[in-house]
Amino acid sequence: MGVTSDARVVWQFLNGIAAIYKPAGYSLHRTRNTILTHLCRDLNALEGRPQREYVRIEGETDKPMTVQVVPNLADHLLLTGPHYQQKDFKLSWVNYLGYDTSGVVIIGINEGARTVMRMRESNPTRFYKVKGVFGQATDNYFTSGKIVEKATYKSIKRATVDAICASMQASHQRKMFELCGVDMQSQAAYELAIQGPIRPANNKIPMIYAIKCVAFNMPEFTLEIACINEYEMYLKTLVHQLGIQLHSVATCTQIQCFRYGLFTTELALLKKHWDVQSILDNMEQTQAILDNNKYLVEQDSPTLIEQQI
Amino acid sequence: MFSCHSIAVLRRCGRHLTLNMKSLKVSLTIPTISQCSKFATDIVDQKKVIDYSSVNQLQASEAKSTDSVPKVDHRTVGNYEYDDEILDVDLLMEKLKRDRPGPLDPCNSDLSHLGPYFPATFNFAAYANKSPMIQKLAELGVNFAKIEKRNGLMKFLLPLDFEKDMKYHIRFLNDCGVPADYLGEFLTKNPLIFKEHLDDLYTRIRYLSAHNFTPDMITRIVMKNPYWVMFSTKRIDARLGHFQKTFNLSGKEIRKLATRLPKLITYNMNHVNGNTFAVKEEMGFEDYQTKILLLNHPSIWTKNRSFVVEVFDYVHNIMKLSHDAITQQPLILTCRLHRIKQRHMFLKKLDRAQYDPEKPLYVPLRSIVLDSDSDFCMEFAKMPVETFNRFLKSL
């Protein structure tokens, strides 16, 4: 890997996919804005293109005129503004995480924005860690809201939580086959079913493949959820539903997307590392993953594939 | 109705003239048109009926007038002249075509003053190579790209002349002690200073020195708050008085405050009063504590009120710091909440969240606010920064 101080060279390389760790309480649009600001800041600190030249022809037209080449003031940084500005970049994301959710977000910069579209269509599984607390319910289903209801939670045991989770998972799996678009009694449905879990035909319907309680420390609990097509409010209401089914109430306190397809938090960049150097390094790593797993950008199977990180 | 018709005629003449302009001296166009207008007024005065044939005559006479270029002044175009003369238009046009120079003929006159007009533009750059004002200001380091983003400033700045409208203002800034390398930044922030009268500007500085501000203090005030000099002495006096009364400050203290954060004095007073309320009532600081906060860390008053209250809520209720402790280290109030949260939760996890200076393993609030992640982890959390990063990825 070479070393350069020329912004134009760096700009050439700034095309691809990067994994970002979005903090909670920080909207994705703001994340995008911050990343772009940092990219511009770093690129403008590097050596830019030289100032253009200006041919000045002066004097009276009926006498020999003077022709001189001077630096073009109109192309000076004070007149043009910084060479790299936010509007010069393309930046879009593969998965959208809501305001309260933290976790891995895959973004595409410049040319990478095309890959983003194909990755989004390939629709890989996402893995969430959702924390909740029993005994209180808020108006917006999240800990930031106003408490509107309180209930006791003494009767709740680990086993009951596990049972509810298992029943939720089972009902989702049933729904999965109902929504796949084939007749439940047909041979086609049977052949799909023997291959394992499948993706929903419509990419608007949330689908939970696995839900498991991984930590249980009264009144707090943590769920791990593998799903597709989910959205922030869906996960919040899921916790709320869980509380109601346990004859108590529950509120979501934290949602973290710790894995998106093959991209894990290990790879994702923290907010303090959102700069050109780290993003370029990250792009290289993500590109290696994409190269080794073609199905990430072009999905041809309706069933979930065994993934290896 | 009549005058409309005659104006149409004149327009026609005008077009005719401009078509021929290349072959004529440029100065010709203007007197001819003015004469045409004179002709029009003559017609209107005498209320004379004009028909289309006279239009032809007019064009013909114009054509004739172009014929006799050196005798521009002799061509008095009185309307009666046209009635008397009978002109052969075709013949005249022939003659004109024969005599006028072609487009490829050499031109011997000086045309350097001719040029296209400036097209409509959104930025200063279009004018940069032509305007000496922009060139001089660019030498000082004024960032025009920033100025043109603000509404109306371009329209105000472009007609100004450096020697006439700007030189003395810059000299004034120099007199105030603003160093030459800072002038660009100053004028980028406040180009509207050129709108103010010089006498007013000097009066405002005299006001400060009359109130025992030393020259160094004045320099700092003008540099740190380019908009200070835009405020009339009356307004500044009222504001200084307001701060002095609200926070019970002595003369020396108010001077210290104005020098420390000159922006605060000219800040939006509603905002300042809102933050005063937040500090006193919402956060519950005593009057003497408020005064210490104001003098030691005035930028609390320029920050977003809900943001400061949120930080205070976290620091006071979750980190369990008393009002006195916060008063002693007010920096924490303007630190970003997520930074405080991250570091406090990390320390808490390690059982090291101890903010009392009298007990062992004390973590100063200053280090939470100012230290870099690696320094903070090494010195106070006693952990490698990688652990901290992994902790952040679990939030």
Side-chain angles (χ1 to χ4, degrees), chain A residues 76-96:
Chain A
H76 195 274
L77 276 177
L78 289 175
L79 273 301
T80 57
H83 281 163
Y84 295 93
Q85 299 182 2
Q86 288 199 23
K87 56 190 168 191
D88 300 333
F89 288 86
K90 269 187 231 162
L91 201 160
S92 53
W93 47 74
V94 179
N95 54 331
Y96 181 84

PDB file of all heavy atoms in Angstrom, chain A residues 76-96:
ATOM      1  N   HIS A  76      -9.023  30.564  -7.008  1.00  0.00           N
ATOM      2  CA  HIS A  76      -8.365  30.517  -5.697  1.00  0.00           C
ATOM      3  C   HIS A  76      -9.320  29.903  -4.682  1.00  0.00           C
ATOM      4  O   HIS A  76     -10.533  30.037  -4.799  1.00  0.00           O
ATOM      5  CB  HIS A  76      -7.993  31.943  -5.296  1.00  0.00           C
ATOM      6  CG  HIS A  76      -7.027  32.003  -4.165  1.00  0.00           C
ATOM      7  ND1 HIS A  76      -7.440  31.973  -2.865  1.00  0.00           N
ATOM      8  CD2 HIS A  76      -5.683  32.070  -4.141  1.00  0.00           C
ATOM      9  CE1 HIS A  76      -6.372  32.025  -2.077  1.00  0.00           C
ATOM     10  NE2 HIS A  76      -5.297  32.082  -2.830  1.00  0.00           N
ATOM     11  N   LEU A  77      -8.748  29.247  -3.690  1.00  0.00           N
ATOM     12  CA  LEU A  77      -9.587  28.581  -2.677  1.00  0.00           C
ATOM     13  C   LEU A  77     -10.521  29.556  -1.962  1.00  0.00           C
ATOM     14  O   LEU A  77     -11.621  29.185  -1.550  1.00  0.00           O
ATOM     15  CB  LEU A  77      -8.707  27.886  -1.638  1.00  0.00           C
ATOM     16  CG  LEU A  77      -8.216  26.492  -2.014  1.00  0.00           C
ATOM     17  CD1 LEU A  77      -7.305  25.960  -0.947  1.00  0.00           C
ATOM     18  CD2 LEU A  77      -9.392  25.557  -2.211  1.00  0.00           C
ATOM     19  N   LEU A  78     -10.066  30.811  -1.821  1.00  0.00           N
ATOM     20  CA  LEU A  78     -10.911  31.788  -1.120  1.00  0.00           C
ATOM     21  C   LEU A  78     -12.149  32.139  -1.946  1.00  0.00           C
ATOM     22  O   LEU A  78     -13.163  32.560  -1.414  1.00  0.00           O
ATOM     23  CB  LEU A  78     -10.116  33.068  -0.853  1.00  0.00           C
ATOM     24  CG  LEU A  78      -9.027  32.985   0.202  1.00  0.00           C
ATOM     25  CD1 LEU A  78      -8.265  34.281   0.265  1.00  0.00           C
ATOM     26  CD2 LEU A  78      -9.623  32.672   1.562  1.00  0.00           C
ATOM     27  N   LEU A  79     -12.050  31.976  -3.250  1.00  0.00           N
ATOM     28  CA  LEU A  79     -13.184  32.313  -4.110  1.00  0.00           C
ATOM     29  C   LEU A  79     -14.051  31.098  -4.424  1.00  0.00           C
ATOM     30  O   LEU A  79     -15.267  31.190  -4.522  1.00  0.00           O
ATOM     31  CB  LEU A  79     -12.687  32.925  -5.424  1.00  0.00           C
ATOM     32  CG  LEU A  79     -12.414  34.424  -5.525  1.00  0.00           C
ATOM     33  CD1 LEU A  79     -13.673  35.202  -5.221  1.00  0.00           C
ATOM     34  CD2 LEU A  79     -11.313  34.889  -4.628  1.00  0.00           C
ATOM     35  N   THR A  80     -13.400  29.937  -4.622  1.00  0.00           N
ATOM     36  CA  THR A  80     -14.179  28.764  -5.007  1.00  0.00           C
ATOM     37  C   THR A  80     -14.746  28.016  -3.813  1.00  0.00           C
ATOM     38  O   THR A  80     -15.667  27.238  -3.961  1.00  0.00           O
ATOM     39  CB  THR A  80     -13.321  27.759  -5.789  1.00  0.00           C
ATOM     40  OG1 THR A  80     -12.207  27.421  -4.972  1.00  0.00           O
ATOM     41  CG2 THR A  80     -12.848  28.315  -7.099  1.00  0.00           C
ATOM     42  N   GLY A  81     -14.167  28.226  -2.652  1.00  0.00           N
ATOM     43  CA  GLY A  81     -14.539  27.396  -1.502  1.00  0.00           C
ATOM     44  C   GLY A  81     -13.700  26.138  -1.530  1.00  0.00           C
ATOM     45  O   GLY A  81     -12.946  25.912  -2.481  1.00  0.00           O
ATOM     46  N   PRO A  82     -13.810  25.296  -0.480  1.00  0.00           N
ATOM     47  CA  PRO A  82     -12.988  24.084  -0.440  1.00  0.00           C
ATOM     48  C   PRO A  82     -13.246  23.180  -1.644  1.00  0.00           C
ATOM     49  O   PRO A  82     -14.355  23.151  -2.177  1.00  0.00           O
ATOM     50  CB  PRO A  82     -13.406  23.408   0.861  1.00  0.00           C
ATOM     51  CG  PRO A  82     -14.604  24.121   1.345  1.00  0.00           C
ATOM     52  CD  PRO A  82     -14.640  25.452   0.699  1.00  0.00           C
ATOM     53  N   HIS A  83     -12.207  22.459  -2.069  1.00  0.00           N
ATOM     54  CA  HIS A  83     -12.328  21.647  -3.281  1.00  0.00           C
ATOM     55  C   HIS A  83     -13.285  20.481  -3.121  1.00  0.00           C
ATOM     56  O   HIS A  83     -13.920  20.060  -4.065  1.00  0.00           O
ATOM     57  CB  HIS A  83     -10.947  21.118  -3.687  1.00  0.00           C
ATOM     58  CG  HIS A  83     -10.146  22.156  -4.398  1.00  0.00           C
ATOM     59  ND1 HIS A  83      -8.797  22.074  -4.576  1.00  0.00           N
ATOM     60  CD2 HIS A  83     -10.515  23.322  -4.968  1.00  0.00           C
ATOM     61  CE1 HIS A  83      -8.378  23.134  -5.236  1.00  0.00           C
ATOM     62  NE2 HIS A  83      -9.392  23.910  -5.466  1.00  0.00           N
ATOM     63  N   TYR A  84     -13.344  19.918  -1.928  1.00  0.00           N
ATOM     64  CA  TYR A  84     -14.235  18.781  -1.712  1.00  0.00           C
ATOM     65  C   TYR A  84     -15.358  19.213  -0.783  1.00  0.00           C
ATOM     66  O   TYR A  84     -15.102  19.668   0.326  1.00  0.00           O
ATOM     67  CB  TYR A  84     -13.461  17.587  -1.132  1.00  0.00           C
ATOM     68  CG  TYR A  84     -12.442  17.080  -2.108  1.00  0.00           C
ATOM     69  CD1 TYR A  84     -11.139  17.539  -2.077  1.00  0.00           C
ATOM     70  CD2 TYR A  84     -12.806  16.189  -3.105  1.00  0.00           C
ATOM     71  CE1 TYR A  84     -10.204  17.121  -3.005  1.00  0.00           C
ATOM     72  CE2 TYR A  84     -11.890  15.760  -4.025  1.00  0.00           C
ATOM     73  CZ  TYR A  84     -10.589  16.223  -3.979  1.00  0.00           C
ATOM     74  OH  TYR A  84      -9.686  15.806  -4.905  1.00  0.00           O
ATOM     75  N   GLN A  85     -16.563  19.119  -1.274  1.00  0.00           N
ATOM     76  CA  GLN A  85     -17.710  19.542  -0.475  1.00  0.00           C
ATOM     77  C   GLN A  85     -18.689  18.393  -0.371  1.00  0.00           C
ATOM     78  O   GLN A  85     -18.659  17.466  -1.176  1.00  0.00           O
ATOM     79  CB  GLN A  85     -18.376  20.757  -1.129  1.00  0.00           C
ATOM     80  CG  GLN A  85     -17.411  21.920  -1.215  1.00  0.00           C
ATOM     81  CD  GLN A  85     -18.032  23.161  -1.816  1.00  0.00           C
ATOM     82  OE1 GLN A  85     -19.207  23.183  -2.147  1.00  0.00           O
ATOM     83  NE2 GLN A  85     -17.233  24.189  -1.946  1.00  0.00           N
ATOM     84  N   GLN A  86     -19.567  18.511   0.618  1.00  0.00           N
ATOM     85  CA  GLN A  86     -20.477  17.398   0.892  1.00  0.00           C
ATOM     86  C   GLN A  86     -21.303  16.991  -0.312  1.00  0.00           C
ATOM     87  O   GLN A  86     -21.596  15.823  -0.517  1.00  0.00           O
ATOM     88  CB  GLN A  86     -21.417  17.787   2.034  1.00  0.00           C
ATOM     89  CG  GLN A  86     -20.723  17.826   3.360  1.00  0.00           C
ATOM     90  CD  GLN A  86     -21.725  17.752   4.470  1.00  0.00           C
ATOM     91  OE1 GLN A  86     -22.827  17.265   4.296  1.00  0.00           O
ATOM     92  NE2 GLN A  86     -21.344  18.228   5.629  1.00  0.00           N
ATOM     93  N   LYS A  87     -21.674  17.975  -1.119  1.00  0.00           N
ATOM     94  CA  LYS A  87     -22.569  17.646  -2.231  1.00  0.00           C
ATOM     95  C   LYS A  87     -21.844  16.879  -3.331  1.00  0.00           C
ATOM     96  O   LYS A  87     -22.482  16.379  -4.258  1.00  0.00           O
ATOM     97  CB  LYS A  87     -23.230  18.915  -2.764  1.00  0.00           C
ATOM     98  CG  LYS A  87     -22.262  19.983  -3.179  1.00  0.00           C
ATOM     99  CD  LYS A  87     -23.008  21.269  -3.463  1.00  0.00           C
ATOM    100  CE  LYS A  87     -22.003  22.419  -3.598  1.00  0.00           C
ATOM    101  NZ  LYS A  87     -22.615  23.715  -3.613  1.00  0.00           N
ATOM    102  N   ASP A  88     -20.515  16.803  -3.256  1.00  0.00           N
ATOM    103  CA  ASP A  88     -19.774  16.048  -4.273  1.00  0.00           C
ATOM    104  C   ASP A  88     -19.864  14.544  -4.047  1.00  0.00           C
ATOM    105  O   ASP A  88     -19.565  13.760  -4.938  1.00  0.00           O
ATOM    106  CB  ASP A  88     -18.289  16.437  -4.243  1.00  0.00           C
ATOM    107  CG  ASP A  88     -18.093  17.910  -4.510  1.00  0.00           C
ATOM    108  OD1 ASP A  88     -18.956  18.478  -5.191  1.00  0.00           O
ATOM    109  OD2 ASP A  88     -17.110  18.479  -4.027  1.00  0.00           O
ATOM    110  N   PHE A  89     -20.259  14.163  -2.835  1.00  0.00           N
ATOM    111  CA  PHE A  89     -20.239  12.736  -2.501  1.00  0.00           C
ATOM    112  C   PHE A  89     -21.606  12.101  -2.731  1.00  0.00           C
ATOM    113  O   PHE A  89     -22.634  12.743  -2.584  1.00  0.00           O
ATOM    114  CB  PHE A  89     -19.891  12.539  -1.020  1.00  0.00           C
ATOM    115  CG  PHE A  89     -18.469  12.823  -0.696  1.00  0.00           C
ATOM    116  CD1 PHE A  89     -18.048  14.106  -0.403  1.00  0.00           C
ATOM    117  CD2 PHE A  89     -17.532  11.800  -0.659  1.00  0.00           C
ATOM    118  CE1 PHE A  89     -16.728  14.372  -0.088  1.00  0.00           C
ATOM    119  CE2 PHE A  89     -16.221  12.062  -0.348  1.00  0.00           C
ATOM    120  CZ  PHE A  89     -15.825  13.349  -0.066  1.00  0.00           C
ATOM    121  N   LYS A  90     -21.545  10.807  -3.047  1.00  0.00           N
ATOM    122  CA  LYS A  90     -22.759  10.000  -2.974  1.00  0.00           C
ATOM    123  C   LYS A  90     -22.576   9.123  -1.757  1.00  0.00           C
ATOM    124  O   LYS A  90     -21.525   8.524  -1.591  1.00  0.00           O
ATOM    125  CB  LYS A  90     -22.874   9.115  -4.207  1.00  0.00           C
ATOM    126  CG  LYS A  90     -23.637   9.735  -5.332  1.00  0.00           C
ATOM    127  CD  LYS A  90     -23.832   8.696  -6.407  1.00  0.00           C
ATOM    128  CE  LYS A  90     -23.394   9.250  -7.726  1.00  0.00           C
ATOM    129  NZ  LYS A  90     -23.168   8.211  -8.703  1.00  0.00           N
ATOM    130  N   LEU A  91     -23.571   9.047  -0.925  1.00  0.00           N
ATOM    131  CA  LEU A  91     -23.458   8.166   0.241  1.00  0.00           C
ATOM    132  C   LEU A  91     -24.844   7.635   0.582  1.00  0.00           C
ATOM    133  O   LEU A  91     -25.748   8.408   0.872  1.00  0.00           O
ATOM    134  CB  LEU A  91     -22.867   8.928   1.431  1.00  0.00           C
ATOM    135  CG  LEU A  91     -22.239   8.085   2.542  1.00  0.00           C
ATOM    136  CD1 LEU A  91     -21.296   8.936   3.364  1.00  0.00           C
ATOM    137  CD2 LEU A  91     -23.239   7.461   3.456  1.00  0.00           C
ATOM    138  N   SER A  92     -25.015   6.337   0.489  1.00  0.00           N
ATOM    139  CA  SER A  92     -26.308   5.771   0.872  1.00  0.00           C
ATOM    140  C   SER A  92     -26.072   4.513   1.697  1.00  0.00           C
ATOM    141  O   SER A  92     -24.971   3.985   1.728  1.00  0.00           O
ATOM    142  CB  SER A  92     -27.141   5.452  -0.363  1.00  0.00           C
ATOM    143  OG  SER A  92     -26.396   4.651  -1.229  1.00  0.00           O
ATOM    144  N   TRP A  93     -27.113   4.064   2.368  1.00  0.00           N
ATOM    145  CA  TRP A  93     -26.949   2.946   3.276  1.00  0.00           C
ATOM    146  C   TRP A  93     -27.732   1.733   2.808  1.00  0.00           C
ATOM    147  O   TRP A  93     -28.702   1.839   2.078  1.00  0.00           O
ATOM    148  CB  TRP A  93     -27.369   3.341   4.677  1.00  0.00           C
ATOM    149  CG  TRP A  93     -28.673   4.062   4.725  1.00  0.00           C
ATOM    150  CD1 TRP A  93     -29.912   3.531   4.566  1.00  0.00           C
ATOM    151  CD2 TRP A  93     -28.873   5.470   4.920  1.00  0.00           C
ATOM    152  NE1 TRP A  93     -30.866   4.503   4.664  1.00  0.00           N
ATOM    153  CE2 TRP A  93     -30.259   5.694   4.879  1.00  0.00           C
ATOM    154  CE3 TRP A  93     -28.006   6.539   5.148  1.00  0.00           C
ATOM    155  CZ2 TRP A  93     -30.796   6.961   5.050  1.00  0.00           C
ATOM    156  CZ3 TRP A  93     -28.557   7.789   5.312  1.00  0.00           C
ATOM    157  CH2 TRP A  93     -29.942   7.995   5.255  1.00  0.00           C
ATOM    158  N   VAL A  94     -27.286   0.564   3.260  1.00  0.00           N
ATOM    159  CA  VAL A  94     -27.963  -0.682   2.896  1.00  0.00           C
ATOM    160  C   VAL A  94     -29.114  -0.914   3.866  1.00  0.00           C
ATOM    161  O   VAL A  94     -30.244  -1.136   3.469  1.00  0.00           O
ATOM    162  CB  VAL A  94     -26.977  -1.863   2.949  1.00  0.00           C
ATOM    163  CG1 VAL A  94     -27.697  -3.149   2.582  1.00  0.00           C
ATOM    164  CG2 VAL A  94     -25.817  -1.614   2.006  1.00  0.00           C
ATOM    165  N   ASN A  95     -28.811  -0.863   5.155  1.00  0.00           N
ATOM    166  CA  ASN A  95     -29.860  -1.111   6.152  1.00  0.00           C
ATOM    167  C   ASN A  95     -30.114   0.166   6.935  1.00  0.00           C
ATOM    168  O   ASN A  95     -29.182   0.867   7.321  1.00  0.00           O
ATOM    169  CB  ASN A  95     -29.461  -2.241   7.097  1.00  0.00           C
ATOM    170  CG  ASN A  95     -28.126  -2.004   7.746  1.00  0.00           C
ATOM    171  OD1 ASN A  95     -27.258  -1.354   7.171  1.00  0.00           O
ATOM    172  ND2 ASN A  95     -27.947  -2.532   8.941  1.00  0.00           N
ATOM    173  N   TYR A  96     -31.379   0.450   7.157  1.00  0.00           N
ATOM    174  CA  TYR A  96     -31.724   1.650   7.895  1.00  0.00           C
ATOM    175  C   TYR A  96     -31.936   1.304   9.361  1.00  0.00           C
ATOM    176  O   TYR A  96     -32.711   0.413   9.677  1.00  0.00           O
ATOM    177  CB  TYR A  96     -32.992   2.279   7.314  1.00  0.00           C
ATOM    178  CG  TYR A  96     -33.396   3.535   8.019  1.00  0.00           C
ATOM    179  CD1 TYR A  96     -32.822   4.749   7.675  1.00  0.00           C
ATOM    180  CD2 TYR A  96     -34.312   3.504   9.060  1.00  0.00           C
ATOM    181  CE1 TYR A  96     -33.151   5.912   8.342  1.00  0.00           C
ATOM    182  CE2 TYR A  96     -34.650   4.663   9.742  1.00  0.00           C
ATOM    183  CZ  TYR A  96     -34.064   5.858   9.365  1.00  0.00           C
ATOM    184  OH  TYR A  96     -34.392   7.009  10.040  1.00  0.00           O
TER     185      TYR A  96
END
